[in-house]
Structure formats: structure tokens, C-alpha cells
Amino acid sequence: MPPVLWPFVHFALIHYLPERCRTATLGDLREDYDKQRAAHGRWRAELWLLREALSLVAAYRPGRRRSLGNAIERLWRDARYAARGLGRSPGFAATAVLTLALGIGSTTAIFSVVYGVLLKPLPFHEPDRLVALYHLAPGVHPDSKAPQTGASYFTYRERGQVFEDIGLSYWEVLNASVVRNGEPEQVESLSITDGFLSVLGVRPVLGRLFEKGDDLPGAPNRVVLSHGYWQRAFGGSSDVVGQSVVIGEPEPAPYEIVGVLPAAFKFRDTDVQVYLPLKLDRARANAVGLAYRGIARLKPGVSLDEASADITRMIPLTIKQFPLPPGVTQEMWDDIGWAPNVMKLSDDLIGEMSRPLWILLGIVGFVLLMAWTNVVNLLLIRAEGRHRELAVRMALGASRARIAGNLLLESLMLGVAGGGLGVLFAAGCIAVLRRLAPTALPRVEDIGINGPVLLGTLTISVVSSLVFGLIPVLRSRTLNPDVLKEAGRSSTDAPARHRTRNVLVVAQVALALVLLVVSGLMARTFVTLRQIQPGYVRPAEVQTFGIALPASLIPQRPQVARTFQEIAERLANVPGVVSVGLTRDLLMSGSTPAGPADVRERPTASGLPPSRKLRLIGAGYFETMGNPLVAGRAITWTDVHQRARVAVISENLARAYWEDPRQAIGHHIGGGDDTFSEIVGVVGNERDDGLNQPAPTVVFAPMALAIRNMTYLVRSSRVGAPGFVRELQQAVWSVNRNVPLARIRTLGDIQARSMSQTSFAMVILAISAGGALVLALVGIYGVVSYIVTERTHEVGIRMALGAQMGDVRRLFLSHGLALTLVGLVLGIGAAALFTPIMSAMLFGVSPTDPLTYATVAIALGAVTLLATYLPARRASQVEPVTALRSRT
Amino acid sequence: MPNDNDAPLGEFEVIVLMAALHLGRQAYGSAMLDEIEARTGRRVSRGSVYITLDRLEDKGLLESRLEEASQKRGGRPKRLFRVTGAGLKAVKHSLSVLARMHKGLEPLLGDF
């Protein structure tokens, strides 16, 4: 049997040995290997073979000139030389490495976020061909993502020419109650058409996905489970397919489990546990009911424009095939202004976070820029200090190329060390950022230090070290062995050198100012957001949780609302509870439905009523939120039980029609059909779309008797106290033992989520600005100190000639002050140019807010002056005699 | 003079040439390595032996020929060496240089 290592040995010897002895030597080795193996066993023989082959390679290698081995050996020698050089000035090396680590680390951290969220391909099959299908429908839908209707889905799926297939899901994830072993449980469910999962290219780990026919009305009930739910509820049992579970959607019924999804499958950062068939009835589909998200897989080679064109072609077909709902005329339908909005699925999922993230990356890049400036400065100072050393080496015969190589190697080592430390720093930052990561930030679990991020860091480290390493190299070209003649004293200062350093200091002050202004603006945004009136007060004192009363527990509908009321009353009796309210959709949860609503007495001219949010509530909602009644009364339990046609409207809605909100009372508001409710009250506005979005107009109506899912709000100063939630749970259970509490949070958590994008940006910017400040201080301190040291001799002469301490101090202070002022002015200009780009991230503060600019400029000016003052004072305290003796 | 440059051979070169003389018709790389290790009692690296063989051949002190391939060696031939006349002279010369240097030092170094 041939030796395991034979291929390698063969390759190496063929490569290194001269022709005449190759085959014979291989033969010798082969013969002796067999002897070794017989005597010592296989592995000893392999080791022996390796040793013999290496000895041959070592012997023959030097015969080939400029071999790889030689180059490596020389590189190794140079690297050791460079390391020794750096080791001789540990202060310089440490400062440079730490500076680079700060710059590279913060950039790496943000780049890992950008990569994980924006650049990493979606975990679906051929994600480039996946698109999200929306409409533009300015007449009925406020934003650019108007959903699909049943009619559009059937039309596009049947008549489309560019789609491989189209899948639809219900617009929102809903709560469904699943009954297992007689115990009800709330799980998140999503209704989807048969094509939805197969469009994404998902392969089930067990069973199958939905197939054609599963989503037909009247088809047997079937369900696909998420991997997590399968593990949790069924212990990962492999015979789950074919079993039946009772799911209360819309009414409790048995569902047959047909498949289980893979663990890696996740869509839209939701935690959907059961996928139900979305059973659209083709015979009853209409062209106006906007309720569904569409996704599609394009045929290979089809562009977004072609897809849009195909849909544009099909939009008129929709109403040829499907009826308009009653009361909607062809003209009204045309006025809606239908147009396709096809976007890449990745763009849709990432949404509006893309721009802020790139901006943040850009801003953090400034820190890297500052770190480079600092290191360049340090290297310049060092290069001057080494003038003599380099001249001596040249005089001893080192070539310029060799010296340049050494200098580059040195900065490469600094860069790589800084990069390595930076990765550690970044890992720490990422841990913090992931905890802070806003809910608005999709794909948080994809953020981390991985191959592409490391590659990015390595590139930054190497490229940056080569770039800043070039500067001392360029300086070494002006080297001249004549330096040696200058009897030990360094050449007097060249103004050019000072100019370079001054420019670097000015740049640093300017960059620091930009970063500080940007983070100052973000901080002001944060403060402003906390000060606005969101439709509630002291959110941390409001506990919220969901409760569902499935038909299996309470079959009669009127009894459902009574049970909700009874639970509310028991909750109010818990010690410390101030008030209790109910709503179907929680504020800022993104699930509050919107629909057309108009005032009967003041109809809109166009005939199509504008879209309003509709919030269904029980008694005590406004009181618990702390939203004051502007006029009239609130909604009561009597309204609920009597199914009274009453409504409370938000103040901005009232003001849209009347000068004085009180005038709204007694008028009627309602939807497209002829049902109108009497306006009985007006309340303050609610920022339902998030704190930084304008408050939408809201209609509050009594919860319908058929609603079985409600969210409770409990206001108490005891929120967060140990045992409080348990007491609330006991109160609920005292009414019905079988009701679980779901989604237990405080209103404060919900507000924090709404502010999380701002908090996230603010934390990143604060870290960057802090880093920038430190770097600017180090930079300016370093330069002034250096100048002071260099001019100590001159100071000594001046003082010997009678200059006062104050004069000397002023000399250096004025130098630092001049640099700072120029830096500040340039920085303000740069910030004014740059900050408008980030205006979308700001709220309630102008990108050129004078207060922020002034505060930042003064603060930065003050600290840089301090950084100048310390070395200036040292200069003024030198003894003239010492100074005159000093050799710089 | 045996060499172009008239310099005596290096110690290791003499050792390799003498190993070839000892082995006679059976002088090839591996056998010479074993011979040297057995007689000198020290480990020598295969690389230094082989490259020395090449160098001695270049100097004309050795000549080599390939013996027919054998299955035992993975179908590869043996490279057999033979000391040339010049090689023999060179060994003699080196030894005589040593002998002349040795003369008179017997009280200190003893006889070989």
C-alpha cells in the first residue's frame, strides 16, 4: 500500500529536485518506507517519510534562486525587525493600535448590522426572483403599499405572464386559540394561499405544504406547523402528520396536520406557529377589499419593470372579471388611481431601515477616518524621529525598496493588530446593539461577526495600513545620508511638515464636530419624542395583556362581552389598580384596522370617504390611557351590551370638520354602507403609527359582541412590582379558570419599541461621538505636545532672553486655538452640508438646529483648548538652562 | 591536481566518496546513507547526502547510471554510483593532506 503522504512527497520532490535524481530518489524513499513500515509500523513510517522529504527539499531548495521559501524567510526576518522596532516605542504602538481598534471596531460593528440586515441574501430559494406585490391606490390607501384584493389575486395568478406563481397571505398575523388535551392556548397564526410557501421555495421537514385545492372554500381544514411549535407542542414527534388539532379560527374546528416547516424558516420577523389555508371564494371575490399581502416568484430573467408592466395591463381586467362592491361605481374605482407597486421581496422586508443604516454606517466611517488621521500623525512624528536610524541603514547599504518595505510592514502590523483588537471591540458592540435592536430592525438574528464581515474588516485593516503606511514611505524618499553629518542635532523644522500636521488636526476637529452635531441632533430628537402627547400618560404604569374567550369556553355570544366586563371588574378590585380598560387592537401595535369613514352631515365632495382608523374598545379605555375627553362622554359597558350605534372621535378628526371639537357631538359618522354612529364624545389624538408619525384620525366604537380577542389595560403604580401580574392572573382566573393571559407587556415597553429606531441610532451615534471626541483630543494633544517638545530649545532661549511664562503659554495656546477655530468653522460647514441627509431620522428638530450647533462648537472648542493648555503649561515651566541643554 | 581549484575536498565529501568505495557495485543513495550512519555512528540527513552526490558527480569524482526499474521500488530505477579515477585521486589527496598535517602531532593525537 502506498504511503498516505505519498502524493505530497511526490509533488514536493518533483517540484524541487533536479531531473537527474528525481525518480531514483523517489524509488529510494519508497523502498526505505517499506522497510520502516515493516520495522516500526505505519504511522512511524509516515513520519519518517515526511522528515526525509523535508530534508531533501531543504537541501535542494537554495539551489533555486528567489524561491518562495526564501521570500518567506526574509519576510519573517523583516517582520521580527519591525516588531522589535515597535516594541522599542510601546507608547506609540499602543496608541496607534488602540486608535485603529476604536475606528475599525466601530465600523465593523455597524457594518455587521448593515450586512446582516441589508446585504445578506434572504434565506429562501433564489431570493432574487422573489417580489412583493403591492398597489399604489392613492384614493383609498394612505401609503405606497396598498394590499391585494381577492379579485387582483385571481386575475394576476390566472392571467399573469411573468410570474411563475403568486402566493397570498392575510395582511396580519392573528391570534388563534389551539386546543390540545382540552387546554386552550393562544398561538400566532397566518392564513396563506396554497402557493405562498412554495413560492418562497420552502421544503417541509415532515409531510407536505399546502397544495392546490387546500385553500378552496369547503376543502377539509388543514394546517402546517412551524418547526418551533412542532417541537414545543408535539415534542418533535415524527408521526404528527395526519393527526388532528382543534383550532378556533374562525370557530373551533378540527384541523388535520399536513406538514412541518424547517427550523430555519421565518417570514417577516413574525413568530407564526400555525399556517392555515386562506380560503378565498373566487365566486365572491371583489375588487376593493384590500386585505392581503402578495408575494410572487418571477420567471427567470424577468425584471421588476416587466412585472409592473404586466400588472398595469391586468388592472383593468380585474373589474371586467370581478364585480365592484355595491355603492362603488366604475368612476369611483378609476378615481382610486390604481397602479402596480412591485418591489424586490428583500427591499420590502427591510423596509425603511435601509436608509438610516447606510447613513449610520457613513457616520461611523467618520470615526474610522479620524482614527486614520491620528495614526498618520503618529507615524509622521515617528518617521521624523527615525530619520537618523533610516539614514544609518541606508549608509550601511540597505536599499530604498527594502527600507520602504520595512516601513510598510510596520504599519501593516499596526493595522492588523488594530483590526484584530477592533473585531473584539466590535463583538462587544454587537452584543449591546442586538439587545437594543429596534423591532423596526428586521433580521436581527442575522447580525453577527461572520465571514463577509471579517473579510470587510481585514480589507479595511490592510488597505488602511498600506495607505497610511505610504506616508512615512514617501517621506523616506527624501532621505539623504547627509543627515548624518548634522552632528546629532535633528534638522530644524521644515514648515512643510508642520503644515501636514496642522491640516490633520484641523480635519480632526472638523470631523469630531460633525459627529457631535449629528449625535446632538439625535439626542434632541429623542427628547422631543418623549415630550409629545401620544394619547396616553405615564406608560410605565399601564400593564397590558391579551385575553381570548373561545367559543369552546363561552358558546353564547352575548355572554362573551359580559365575561369581558366581569374580568375588568375583578381586575379593578386588585389592590393598587386605579382603572381598567379594554381595546381590541393595542396602540402602536400596527394592527389597528383602517377603513373609509365620513360624517353623514358633511360628506366628502368626491364621494369616496377618507380612510380612518377604527378602534374597538370597552369601557374605561380613555381613563386608563390617560387620554382626556375634549367633549362629550366616553363609551360605557351599556353601549357595548346594547350594541349602541355610538362613537367617540379623535380631536384631529373633529377639527377636520368643525372649528370647535364640541360641535361634533350629535353628528353621525360611518363607513361606505349606510350604517352611521352618533358621535357622543371627542378625545385627544393617538399616535397610533408611532411617536414620530403624525397622529391618524381615529374613530372609537364599542366593541362588537362577536369579538372574542381583547387586550386589557390596567393602570397601577404597582406595575412592575413582583407578584402584580400574578395577582392580575388570579383575578382573571376567578372568572374563568381556563383563560390564559397572552402578550403580557407594559405600555412603556410598547412606547420603547416605537422609539427604538431613534434609541438605536442615538446609542450608535453617542458611541461614535464619544470615540470621535477622544480621538480629537488625543490628536490635538499629541501634536501640540510634539511641537512643544521640539521647540523646548527655542523656548529656553526665549526665556533666557527675558520672555515671561505667560508669553510662552500664549505662543502655544494661540497656535492650538487657531487650529481649533479653523476646524470648528470647517466642521460647521461640513455638518450643515451633511445633516440634511439624515433629516428623515430626526423629529421635531431641524437638521441645522442652531442651538445644537452652537452647544457642540462651544463644548468642543473648550475641550480642545484644554488639550492645548496642558502641553503649553508644561512648555512655560521649563528651566531655561535645561531647555538650552536639551537635544531634541 | 585532482580538482580544478586545487582545494582539498570537504570532510563530508570525502566521507561520501569513501562510502561509495565501501559499497562498490551496490552504491546508491539509500545504501550510502545507511553505510555512513553505520560507520560514523551519527545521523546524517538524506538531503545532504544526495546533494553531495550530485555535486561530486558535477566535479567528475563520481559517475552514476540508472539500473533497471524494480517493482519493489514502485517501479523506479536505482541510481548507482561509481567513484571515478579522479575521485579516487581526490580521496587520496585529501587523506594525504590530513596525514601530512598529522605528522609530528602523534604525541598529542596518537596514531590512527
Side-chain angles (χ1 to χ4, degrees), chain A residues 461-609:
Chain A
S461 311
V462 171
V463 169
S464 63
S465 42
L466 291 182
V467 169
F468 61 63
L470 271 179
I471 290 169
V473 169
L474 292 177
R475 294 209 73 85
S476 80
R477 279 180 41 202
T478 63
L479 263 186
N480 184 338
D482 289 347
V483 177
L484 294 175
K485 293 180 192 150
E486 288 174 28
R489 179 147 316 198
S490 78
S491 56
T492 40
D493 214 357
R497 273 183 356 229
H498 268 183
R499 210 159 39 234
T500 320
R501 274 199 302 270
N502 290 344
V503 166
L504 290 175
V505 167
V506 166
Q508 277 192 330
V509 172
L511 287 173
L513 186 109
V514 173
L515 277 166
L516 286 168
V517 163
V518 165
S519 54
L521 290 174
M522 216 61 213
R524 289 208 60 192
T525 297
F526 189 77
V527 171
T528 319
L529 280 182
R530 290 193 64 105
Q531 283 168 347
I532 60 167
Q533 299 282 324
Y536 52 80
V537 291
R538 299 190 305 282
E541 293 178 8
V542 179
Q543 185 77 55
T544 78
F545 51 86
I547 279 188
L549 301 176
S552 53
L553 284 181
I554 297 161
Q556 303 87 4
R557 283 194 177 175
Q559 197 56 37
V560 176
R562 300 235 170 255
T563 311
F564 277 124
Q565 180 181 1
E566 203 183 337
I567 291 173
E569 283 160 6
R570 297 285 175 90
L571 288 169
N573 287 334
V574 171
V577 170
V578 180
S579 65
V580 177
L582 290 89
T583 171
R584 193 187 64 178
D585 307 291
L586 201 50
L587 187 80
M588 295 189 207
S589 62
S591 58
T592 313
D598 215 350
V599 173
R600 187 169 68 194
E601 293 81 4
R602 312 276 289 270
T604 318
S606 71
L608 267 184

Side-chain angles (χ1 to χ4, degrees), chain A residues 6 18 20-21 23-32 34 48 51-52 55-56 59-60, chain B residues 28-30 33 43 45-48 50-51 54 57-58 66 72-74 76-79:
Chain A
W6 193 250
R20 62 177 171 181
C21 65
T23 47
T25 308
L26 283 167
D28 285 2
L29 281 178
R30 190 59 205 276
E31 183 185 338
D32 290 0
D34 289 341
W48 170 89
R51 199 183 59 201
E52 297 301 293
S55 112
L56 285 164
Y60 280 96
Chain B
Y28 71 100
S30 282
L33 188 70
R43 236 198 75 69
S45 89
R46 187 176 292 266
S48 52
Y50 281 49
I51 201 158
D54 284 352
E57 189 176 26
D58 289 344
L66 292 180
K72 196 174 152 201
R73 300 163 47 89
R76 291 183 184 83
K78 267 182 191 168
R79 187 173 172 214

Side-chain angles (χ1 to χ4, degrees), chain A residues 363 366 369 506-518 521 822-838 847-848 853:
Chain A
I363 291 171
F366 274 42
L369 213 57
V506 166
Q508 277 192 330
V509 172
L511 287 173
L513 186 109
V514 173
L515 277 166
L516 286 168
V517 163
V518 165
L521 290 174
V822 177
L824 290 181
V825 170
L826 289 179
I828 288 173
L833 278 179
F834 182 77
T835 48
I837 298 173
M838 61 175 289
T848 50
Y853 278 66

Side-chain angles (χ1 to χ4, degrees), chain A residues 843-854:
Chain A
F843 178 80
V845 55
S846 144
T848 50
D849 177 50
L851 182 64
T852 310
Y853 278 66

Side-chain angles (χ1 to χ4, degrees), chain A residues 135 147-157 166 168 286-287 318 322:
Chain A
H135 288 121
Q148 298 294 322
T149 64
S152 65
Y153 164 66
F154 287 115
T155 310
Y156 301 165
R157 199 177 190 201
I166 297 180
L168 219 54
N286 79 52
T318 315
F322 294 92

